[in-house]
Amino acid sequence: MSTILEMTWKEMLRKKVMLLTLLLTFVFLLAFWFVADTVGQNGTAVGSVHNGSELIVRFTNGVFILSLGFFFGAFVIAFLAIFSSFSVIAGEAEQGVMQALLPRPLPRWKWYLGRWLGFVTLGVLYAFILFVAILLITSAHAAVPRDISALLKSFLLFASVVPLLISVSMLGSGIFSALGNGVFMTMLYGAGWLGGMLDKLSGSLRLGEDALSVLHNLTGTMSMLMPADALQRRMAAELFSLNDISALVSLNSGGFSIMNISSYPSVSFIVYAAGYTLLAFAIGLLRFQRKDV
């Protein structure tokens, strides 16, 4: 199994998708630096540390910058996870690679688990680098959270999207063709993101109670079909400790409005997302055990 994991790492480092991701990440972080510098200068001369005005301004600027950074960072993590694994079964079966590997004395579950661990470990490592980079750039221009427990919980939620998407992507790769699974995963992730955006906009729309109820049911269903966006909103809630600061600042204005973190999923939804990931992994593994390759 460790051989398959190592092979997955080497394959990913050779693929153009990884090189392209790293190149775009560098461009994104460079642009993010200038955005953070511009936003960080906003209103910093107002008030003083003694009356707390400047502290609130710096914190609000930090929220805006971090929200913007993690908003786009979530897309990068998601598409790296999807496009690294969407053809792992169907693509290799079509190219004849799997026929050369599986006849050897290697149980199928070890191949599947090795592949899954390879994609997940590389994705989580990349998520950690991106998470730290966004925090460091923001801290150079504005205030950022310093609580270690909040940072740890927010990173775990930020990186949890990687095993979620890879589990679903590998399951889809055992059902659809490589191209079909790529389209399916992109649309599924897009549906979850759209559900989050609709939930965000619902508060600003002048709709009746019946219309809002229908809209909330729709967005809830879309989030349950793909919990990735909801996990990112929970990540932001943990990062900014919303339970502690909700009495001090408005959660419906400024930087808080970008990620719609004024309404975030409960702990029960996090448990649901974990069960969703485990179920997708288990079904994908069982299906691969019986698949004719």
Side-chain angles (χ1 to χ4, degrees), residues 42-112:
N42 178 45
T44 52
V46 178
S48 66
V49 177
H50 299 289
N51 60 29
S53 297
E54 186 174 349
L55 292 177
I56 294 176
V57 169
R58 283 181 55 81
F59 176 75
T60 305
N61 289 344
V63 169
F64 182 88
I65 297 169
L66 284 176
S67 299
L68 189 64
F70 286 123
F71 179 78
F72 288 101
F75 277 100
V76 179
I77 294 295
F79 282 104
L80 176 63
I82 291 172
F83 289 107
S84 64
S85 58
F86 77 98
S87 63
V88 62
I89 297 176
E92 293 190 6
E94 293 169 2
Q95 296 172 7
V97 177
M98 198 170 295
Q99 288 85 341
L101 284 173
L102 293 183
R104 302 184 181 190
L106 177 69
R108 287 194 175 195
W109 70 268
K110 285 189 176 182
W111 182 93
Y112 193 92

Side-chain angles (χ1 to χ4, degrees), residues 45-250:
V46 178
S48 66
V49 177
H50 299 289
N51 60 29
S53 297
E54 186 174 349
L55 292 177
I56 294 176
V57 169
R58 283 181 55 81
F59 176 75
T60 305
N61 289 344
V63 169
F64 182 88
I65 297 169
L66 284 176
S67 299
L68 189 64
F70 286 123
F71 179 78
F72 288 101
F75 277 100
V76 179
I77 294 295
F79 282 104
L80 176 63
I82 291 172
F83 289 107
S84 64
S85 58
F86 77 98
S87 63
V88 62
I89 297 176
E92 293 190 6
E94 293 169 2
Q95 296 172 7
V97 177
M98 198 170 295
Q99 288 85 341
L101 284 173
L102 293 183
R104 302 184 181 190
L106 177 69
R108 287 194 175 195
W109 70 268
K110 285 189 176 182
W111 182 93
Y112 193 92
L113 182 58
R115 282 300 225 176
W116 187 87
L117 287 174
F119 291 130
V120 169
T121 51
L122 188 61
V124 169
L125 177 61
Y126 175 79
F128 176 76
I129 294 172
L130 187 60
F131 185 85
V132 172
I134 291 173
L135 281 176
L136 289 177
I137 291 174
T138 305
S139 66
H141 303 285
V144 298
R146 303 287 182 179
D147 183 66
I148 298 299
S149 63
L151 291 173
L152 179 59
K153 286 188 287 186
S154 59
F155 168 70
L156 291 176
L157 288 166
F158 183 65
S160 66
V161 174
V162 174
L164 167 67
L165 290 173
I166 287 175
S167 297
V168 180
S169 182
M170 290 185 68
L171 169 61
S173 187
I175 300 174
F176 308 110
S177 65
L179 179 60
N181 189 42
V183 174
F184 168 75
M185 285 301 302
T186 303
M187 293 183 67
L188 185 62
Y189 177 76
W193 179 83
L194 180 61
M197 288 300 296
L198 288 175
D199 188 39
K200 172 184 175 180
L201 294 174
S202 64
S204 60
L205 297 176
R206 296 179 180 179
L207 299 176
E209 287 190 20
D210 293 340
L212 279 176
S213 178
V214 172
L215 187 60
H216 287 157
N217 290 336
L218 177 62
T219 57
T221 301
M222 296 169 81
S223 295
M224 293 187 74
L225 286 174
M226 174 45 65
D229 183 76
L231 288 174
Q232 295 302 318
R233 280 188 283 139
R234 179 72 191 198
M235 179 275 292
E238 293 293 343
L239 180 64
F240 302 128
S241 303
L242 294 191
N243 288 333
D244 299 328
I245 66 168
S246 58
L248 301 177
V249 296
S250 173

